Amino acid sequence: MKRYNHLSYDERVKISQLKQSGLLAGQIASTISRPVCTVYRELKRNEAPPGQYWPDTAHRLAAGRRCRQARLDKDIKLQEFVMEHMQNHFWTPEQIAGHLKHGQTELKSICHETIYHWIYQGSRRKEKIWKFLPRHKAKRGLRKSKGAGASRIPNRVSIHQRPKHIDKRTTFGHWEGDLMSFCKGSQHILVLRERQTMFTLSKQLPSKKADDVANAILNLLTKIPQKARKSLTLDNGGEFTRHQLWGTALDIKTFFCDPYASWQKGGVENTNGRLRRDLPRKTNIHTYNKEDFNETIDNYNLTPRKKLNWITPNEAFLKKCQRFALQT
């Protein structure tokens, strides 16, 4: 395929001279050995003033179009919206793009990849805007997984025995759980996430002991309707060894992932990553009162999600619970 070359300044001088002599676009194209469409487009796009064609002006206009700025650099209001929601609300580029397209009409919509490109472009990378992203990665890419080990939880039921419909997220009331640690592993919170609606519950823990974790799970899941708690999937940490306690009390089935296979409960792992933006590892969780801590969890549940067609986890969870209430 023949490669296209932009018109040079000398060619534009020749076009100007031929046009002033009264030649038409086709005749000019034949003289300078260019396609007719190229000459016609040149005369149309770079005329200044209207009806006139000057090589200096035409060359400057063409050069200006080739040095295009990123959309976020040209649209300051759009840039401010993106930065505000990344810095203050910790929204991802995908969530921002989804809200711009479906949740408002004042600003023009933008693709999430355009936002990522703007964040990681050479001049912008120095500002380290990528630190506001969930993974805080200076470069885009994936991490490799580790190998597997063994589990010592008594009477554990493997995730491979979990019904297949739970994997597909077609039914409501199935949860994933995990612990988040702070201050070099000395402080912990429990995180529970409903798989279909992404709705999240969390509670500060006095310790990582199995009894304290069991009591926290009982405290959180007792408050929600029985039909909204059908199963719970966990990893193989020793803090979950009392699974039979809440299983009997709540009539809920508990399944355990393969050792070192956290991706099998990827939903709550993703939630942990998002919560880390408000609660980094160095956080002293004991300095948070109940209201401040709940506000952090509410911020997560009130953020629109692409998988939920840009409604919030809170809205999705309430709709499911209301549907159960109407059925009864």
Side-chain angles (χ1 to χ4, degrees):
M1 181 182 293
K2 186 176 180 180
R3 183 176 179 181
Y4 173 79
N5 293 317
H6 293 279
L7 289 170
S8 66
Y9 178 75
D10 291 338
E11 286 178 307
R12 288 191 168 97
V13 171
K14 189 67 173 177
I15 291 173
S16 177
Q17 293 172 346
L18 295 172
K19 185 178 186 306
Q20 291 180 40
S21 66
L23 295 183
L24 299 177
Q27 296 170 314
I28 296 174
S30 178
T31 302
I32 65 173
S33 301
R34 284 282 192 169
V36 177
C37 61
T38 298
V39 176
Y40 180 82
R41 184 169 57 246
E42 174 69 17
L43 293 172
K44 187 68 175 177
R45 298 179 70 188
N46 294 330
E47 60 177 4
Q52 302 295 322
Y53 180 85
W54 307 108
D56 292 339
T57 303
H59 203 64
R60 185 178 69 253
L61 291 174
R65 283 194 298 272
R66 293 181 65 182
C67 297
R68 294 175 179 172
Q69 288 182 304
R71 283 189 59 189
L72 287 171
D73 288 328
K74 292 188 292 185
D75 193 332
I76 301 302
K77 288 186 178 180
L78 184 60
Q79 180 186 138
E80 290 175 349
F81 179 88
V82 171
M83 289 301 300
E84 177 187 355
H85 284 76
M86 285 183 61
Q87 291 178 320
N88 300 334
H89 303 291
F90 299 106
W91 287 18
T92 66
E94 193 171 46
Q95 290 164 353
I96 293 172
H99 180 74
L100 286 169
K101 184 176 182 179
H102 302 283
Q104 58 87 49
T105 57
E106 296 180 1
L107 298 172
K108 293 182 178 180
S109 61
I110 189 172
C111 174
H112 66 279
E113 282 296 335
T114 302
I115 300 176
Y116 275 116
H117 180 75
W118 180 74
I119 292 171
Y120 285 107
Q121 69 182 10
S123 59
R124 190 68 57 182
R125 185 179 296 176
K126 297 178 182 178
E127 300 178 22
K128 297 184 179 181
I129 299 175
W130 48 266
K131 287 191 173 182
F132 297 108
L133 296 173
R135 305 303 179 193
H136 310 296
K137 294 165 66 176
K139 295 182 179 180
R140 298 185 71 181
L142 300 174
R143 295 191 178 101
K144 296 181 180 179
S145 61
K146 297 180 180 179
S151 173
R152 298 181 180 178
I153 294 181
N155 302 315
R156 67 185 291 276
V157 179
S158 171
I159 193 173
H160 299 291
Q161 296 178 251
R162 191 175 70 177
K164 298 300 180 183
H165 66 85
I166 300 179
D167 296 341
K168 299 178 181 179
R169 292 184 171 86
T170 56
T171 54
F172 174 65
H174 301 285
W175 297 75
E176 295 176 351
D178 197 11
L179 258 60
M180 287 178 61
S181 299
F182 304 89
C183 285
K184 299 182 179 180
S186 63
Q187 300 174 13
H188 313 275
I189 67 172
L190 172 69
V191 181
L192 302 178
R193 169 176 139 150
E194 202 282 318
R195 288 173 56 84
Q196 190 179 60
T197 64
M198 306 170 70
F199 182 74
T200 297
L201 299 172
S202 185
K203 186 176 180 60
Q204 295 165 286
L205 297 172
S207 76
K208 195 180 177 181
K209 293 180 180 179
D211 286 336
D212 289 331
V213 174
N215 290 332
I217 292 176
L218 284 167
N219 181 271
L220 290 175
L221 294 183
T222 300
K223 297 176 182 178
I224 64 175
Q226 184 175 1
K227 290 186 177 181
R229 54 172 200 252
K230 299 175 182 176
S231 76
L232 177 61
T233 301
L234 305 167
D235 60 27
N236 293 274
E239 61 271 15
F240 298 125
T241 55
R242 299 298 304 275
H243 60 94
Q244 291 174 298
L245 175 63
W246 66 74
T248 301
L250 299 176
D251 189 23
I252 185 174
K253 297 180 180 179
T254 303
F255 302 96
F256 291 88
C257 300
D258 294 330
Y260 301 105
S262 58
W263 55 269
Q264 292 176 337
K265 56 177 180 64
V268 73
E269 294 290 338
N270 180 271
T271 296
N272 290 349
R274 294 177 185 275
L275 291 177
R276 284 291 183 196
R277 287 176 280 181
D278 280 333
L279 302 171
R281 291 184 181 276
K282 62 182 179 181
T283 301
N284 183 352
I285 206 70
H286 292 163
T287 62
Y288 277 65
N289 57 40
K290 186 176 180 180
E291 290 74 19
D292 291 338
F293 181 75
N294 289 341
E295 182 179 352
T296 300
I297 306 304
D298 289 342
N299 181 54
Y300 174 88
N301 285 324
L302 295 175
T303 301
R305 307 293 181 189
K306 179 181 180 181
K307 288 185 178 180
L308 302 177
N309 293 321
W310 301 112
I311 66 172
T312 67
N314 190 62
E315 292 173 318
F317 187 80
L318 289 177
K319 284 183 179 179
K320 291 290 183 180
C321 290
Q322 289 170 357
R323 186 177 301 174
F324 283 131
L326 291 175
Q327 291 174 352
T328 58

